[in-house]
Amino acid sequence: MMMFPFAVCICFVSAVLTEQVSINTKLGNIRGDMVETNFNGNAGKVKRFRGIPYAESPTGSRRFVKPVPKNTLPDPFDALDFGPACPQDLFMMMGWVPGYPYVDEDCLSVNVFVPENKSGPSHLGNYAVMVWIYGGAYVIGQSKMYSPENLTMVGDVVVVTLNYRVSSLGFLSSGSSKFPGNAGLWDQRLALQWVHDNIADFGGDPGRVTIFGESAGGSSVMYQALYEDNKALFQRLISESGSPLCPWAFQSEPQKYTRRLADRIGCTDPDLDDAVTCLQNIDAMLVVNNSRVGTPEETTFRAEWVPVHDGEFIQSPQAMMFSHSLDLFKNIDMLVGVNNNDGAFVTLLALQPYMVNQLNKTYAHGIPKSFFKDFYIPLYLRDRYGNSSHLLQDLVDYVYTDFKDPHDDIFTRQKFLEFSGDYNFFMPILAALRAHANLSTGKRSFLYEFHVRPTFNTSPNYVEGANHGEELPFVFGFPDLMADGMGYRNYISDKELNLSEHMMKYWSNFAKTG
C-alpha cells in the first residue's frame, strides 16, 4: 500500500477574473472570461466559454427522444457560467457536487476551455481537443464538477465538457420506434457534432479530437466509437473504468421499468407509448424522483435506466465490438484502464446492502464458509447467464481460493472484492481492448492501471489501492469544484500533485499524438 505525507494546499485554481474575452464564431459573438490558474509550479491563463447550448430544450414532446440541434443563439451570447445540470436525484447529486443543486430540463450545454495563445495567430486552430463525458451510473452527473482549467493549462489542449440527460429522462425506453431509448447517448453524439462543427473557432483542431470519460462516461465513449455515423467526429478515445461490455452498462428489460414508472405517476394507459406520452407532460423532477422502481435484487448490478438495444445506436455491444466491419472502432487510438479496486465501489455500495439483507433472512445461525461459493458466485452467474451451475460455481471458487489457507477470513474478504472488480470492470474492459487490438489497422491500444491509495480515500483500510473514481482528481488537476465531493479540500500531498501533473501530461500527450 502506498502512503503519502500530508501537505496543505490552499488553492488549486485561482478564481481571480483577469478579463472578459470574446470570440467571433459562426454561431455569433460569444463572450467568456479568462482566469489565471496555478498548479504545482505551473502557471498560465485559460479562456472559459461556459454554458453554451448545443440543443433545444428537451422538454414536452422532445423529452425521452433524440435532441434537436440548437437553432440560434443570442448575439452576443454570454457564456460566463456553467449551465444547469440535467434533472436527477438531488440527494445523490449533492454528494458529488455539494452546494450546487441547480438543475433544469433545459440543460444540454457545452463548456469550452482554451489555453492562452502564446504562439501568435499561427497557433490558432492547432490545439488538440479533449471532450469529457462524465460518469455516474447513467443516473447522476454534470459537467460542472469537472472544471478543467488545470488540464487545459498543463496539457496545452482545448478541453470541452458537456451535459447529457441521465436517469429516466435520458434512458427510458418503451421498446418501440417512438421511444427507443438512449436519448442520453444521442445527446453526447450531438455535442460531439457541435465540437466538430465549431471547435476551430475556439482554436481547436477538429481533426485531432479525443473523447474521454470515466465509468458510465467510459462506456459511453466506447458506445460512441461503435456508432459508425460518428466517423470523423473524433480520432482517439480514453476510457477510465468503463466499457459497453460491463454488466452495468446495458439494460435488457427497459419496458418493465418504464411500465412501473408510468403506473406509479398515474400514466396508466395500457399502450406503453401512450403512457410515455403522458409522462412527457409531467414535471421533470417528479418523473426523476419516482424513477427508482427496481427492487434491490433487480438493481444490484445496474440501475433501471441505462443504454438499451434500440436498433439504431446500439445493436449488440458484443457483436458490434468484434465485427471486422467496424471502420470507426478499428481506426482510432485507444487508451483504457482501471483502478485496481474498482470492484470495492460496487461491492460496498450495491452488493453489500443486498447481501446483508439476504444473510439476515437466510443465515440466522452465522455465515457459512461456503457463502462465497453458494451465494455470491451464483448471484453473478445468474446475472450473466440467467442461471447457475455447480460446475461453474466450482470453477470460479477454485480460481479465487488461496489453497495455502482456504478458510482465511481476510483473504475471503479480498476475493469478494477481486471477483466483483473482475466481473464489473476488469474483464469487460480488457475484452474491449483486446477486440480493438485484434481489429485495428495499425492504431494503438494501451492499457493502464491506477493503484495509488489517495490521502483523501475514505474506504475501509482493507480496500487497498484506488477505489472507483479516485483517479479523477489526478486527471483534472484537483479542481476546486471537485474538492468537497472527493474530500481533498484541505490536504493534498506533494507526491499526489506531482502524479497529477504527470497524468495530465500522459492524457494530453495521447490526445496530441496517440
Side-chain angles (χ1 to χ4, degrees):
M1 185 186 306
M2 194 174 297
M3 299 298 291
F4 293 131
F6 288 118
V8 177
C9 187
I10 302 300
C11 185
F12 306 105
V13 179
S14 171
V16 177
L17 177 65
T18 56
E19 60 183 287
Q20 286 199 349
V21 295
S22 64
I23 186 169
N24 290 315
T25 75
K26 62 177 63 71
L27 301 171
N29 183 266
I30 297 179
R31 297 191 294 210
D33 61 22
M34 183 158 64
V35 293
E36 296 179 357
T37 182
N38 297 275
F39 184 83
N40 204 33
N42 301 280
K45 294 181 179 180
V46 174
K47 300 174 187 176
R48 308 184 300 184
F49 304 91
R50 294 171 291 172
I52 306 171
Y54 66 85
E56 299 292 342
S57 179
T59 55
S61 62
R62 295 194 183 112
R63 185 183 287 174
F64 306 126
V65 297
K66 291 181 183 180
V68 175
K70 187 70 176 177
N71 188 20
T72 59
L73 293 177
D75 191 4
F77 179 80
D78 287 330
L80 296 171
D81 200 1
F82 293 96
C86 295
Q88 56 196 275
D89 185 302
L90 289 181
F91 178 78
M92 296 173 64
M93 168 184 163
M94 290 289 286
W96 283 100
V97 195
Y100 297 96
Y102 180 30
V103 299
D104 190 272
E105 198 165 8
D106 189 5
C107 59
L108 300 181
S109 61
V110 296
N111 315 289
V112 184
F113 295 76
V114 184
E116 182 189 26
N117 181 25
K118 299 177 181 178
S119 304
S122 62
H123 198 60
L124 289 175
N126 290 331
Y127 286 112
V129 181
M130 301 181 70
V131 183
W132 174 254
I133 300 178
Y134 52 72
Y138 293 107
V139 175
I140 61 170
Q142 61 174 304
S143 60
K144 185 166 188 170
M145 174 179 171
Y146 306 92
S147 198
E149 290 90 345
N150 286 336
L151 176 59
T152 302
M153 184 266 296
V154 172
D156 199 37
V157 288
V158 169
V159 181
V160 180
T161 63
L162 61 96
N163 280 349
Y164 66 94
R165 284 171 284 178
V166 293
S167 186
S168 55
L169 299 184
F171 294 94
L172 176 147
S173 170
S174 70
S176 76
S177 58
K178 187 173 183 180
F179 300 107
N182 298 329
L185 293 181
W186 289 110
D187 294 344
Q188 298 167 11
R189 200 261 171 195
L190 183 59
L192 293 174
Q193 184 68 57
W194 186 97
V195 170
H196 178 76
D197 295 342
N198 296 287
I199 204 62
D201 291 336
F202 295 85
D205 181 354
R208 275 197 305 166
V209 175
T210 296
I211 58 175
F212 69 130
E214 181 266 346
S215 195
S219 59
S220 290
V221 298
M222 284 202 200
Y223 273 129
Q224 297 297 333
L226 293 172
Y227 183 59
E228 287 292 270
D229 284 355
N230 282 339
K231 289 178 184 176
L233 296 190
F234 53 88
Q235 292 71 42
R236 299 188 176 100
L237 173 159
I238 302 174
S239 174
E240 304 167 24
S241 302
S243 159
L245 301 177
C246 293
W248 44 261
F250 179 72
Q251 178 58 258
S252 60
E253 301 179 296
Q255 297 95 326
K256 175 176 70 176
Y257 298 118
T258 300
R259 179 81 270 168
R260 289 183 194 173
L261 173 60
D263 288 347
R264 175 179 288 184
I265 294 181
C267 294
T268 57
D269 193 294
D271 184 287
L272 195 53
D273 280 346
D274 290 340
V276 175
T277 301
C278 170
L279 287 174
Q280 290 180 317
N281 300 304
I282 304 296
D283 177 75
M285 286 306 299
L286 182 63
V287 174
V288 168
N289 289 336
N290 283 278
S291 291
R292 300 189 71 176
V293 294
T295 67
E297 183 173 14
E298 289 171 331
T299 56
T300 296
F301 290 99
R302 65 193 57 78
E304 297 93 334
W305 315 105
V306 298
V308 299
H309 287 171
D310 61 0
E312 184 178 3
F313 205 109
I314 299 175
Q315 304 295 330
S316 162
Q318 290 84 355
M320 292 165 66
M321 193 167 288
F322 296 97
S323 169
H324 285 273
S325 65
L326 279 180
D327 288 337
L328 174 58
F329 185 67
K330 66 186 180 183
N331 282 293
I332 59 174
D333 295 313
M334 182 180 290
L335 167 63
V336 304
V338 295
N339 293 358
N340 71 305
N341 234 319
D342 268 326
F345 174 82
V346 174
T347 302
L348 299 175
L349 183 69
L351 282 170
Q352 182 170 282
Y354 174 68
M355 288 193 300
V356 168
N357 184 50
Q358 296 302 307
L359 283 170
N360 291 337
K361 289 180 181 178
T362 310
Y363 301 108
H365 303 292
I367 305 173
K369 290 295 184 182
S370 61
F371 180 68
F372 180 76
K373 176 182 175 182
D374 294 338
F375 178 83
Y376 198 67
I377 294 173
L379 185 69
Y380 282 83
L381 294 177
R382 286 194 300 270
D383 181 68
R384 178 65 179 85
Y385 300 110
N387 56 61
S388 183
S389 75
H390 290 297
L391 180 62
L392 278 176
Q393 288 171 225
D394 290 342
L395 178 61
V396 175
D397 186 54
Y398 178 87
V399 171
Y400 289 88
T401 295
D402 181 0
F403 289 98
K404 297 176 183 176
D405 189 354
H407 300 301
D408 176 72
D409 289 337
I410 293 177
F411 179 82
T412 298
R413 181 176 62 196
Q414 290 306 119
K415 71 182 181 182
F416 274 74
L417 301 181
E418 183 182 347
F419 185 45
S420 177
D422 288 347
Y423 181 76
N424 286 291
F425 297 99
F426 299 171
M427 295 313 300
I429 289 165
L430 188 58
L433 186 66
R434 284 174 172 166
H436 178 261
N438 290 333
L439 291 172
S440 67
T441 55
K443 296 298 180 179
R444 299 172 180 88
S445 308
F446 291 107
L447 176 68
Y448 76 85
E449 181 187 58
F450 184 81
H451 57 80
V452 173
R453 182 180 174 98
T455 54
F456 52 85
N457 183 303
T458 58
S459 302
N461 289 333
Y462 61 78
V463 178
E464 298 181 359
N467 206 334
H468 189 61
E470 288 183 338
E471 86 287 0
L472 290 171
F474 294 87
V475 171
F476 283 90
F478 294 94
D480 187 66
L481 287 170
M482 196 185 288
D484 292 323
M486 296 297 293
Y488 57 76
R489 171 64 64 186
N490 297 317
Y491 297 101
I492 294 294
S493 74
D494 290 338
K495 285 188 177 181
E496 287 172 314
L497 293 174
N498 290 334
L499 176 59
S500 176
E501 182 180 348
H502 285 302
M503 288 185 67
M504 287 190 284
K505 289 179 178 178
Y506 296 155
W507 265 227
S508 57
N509 284 343
F510 176 79
K512 294 171 184 175
T513 67

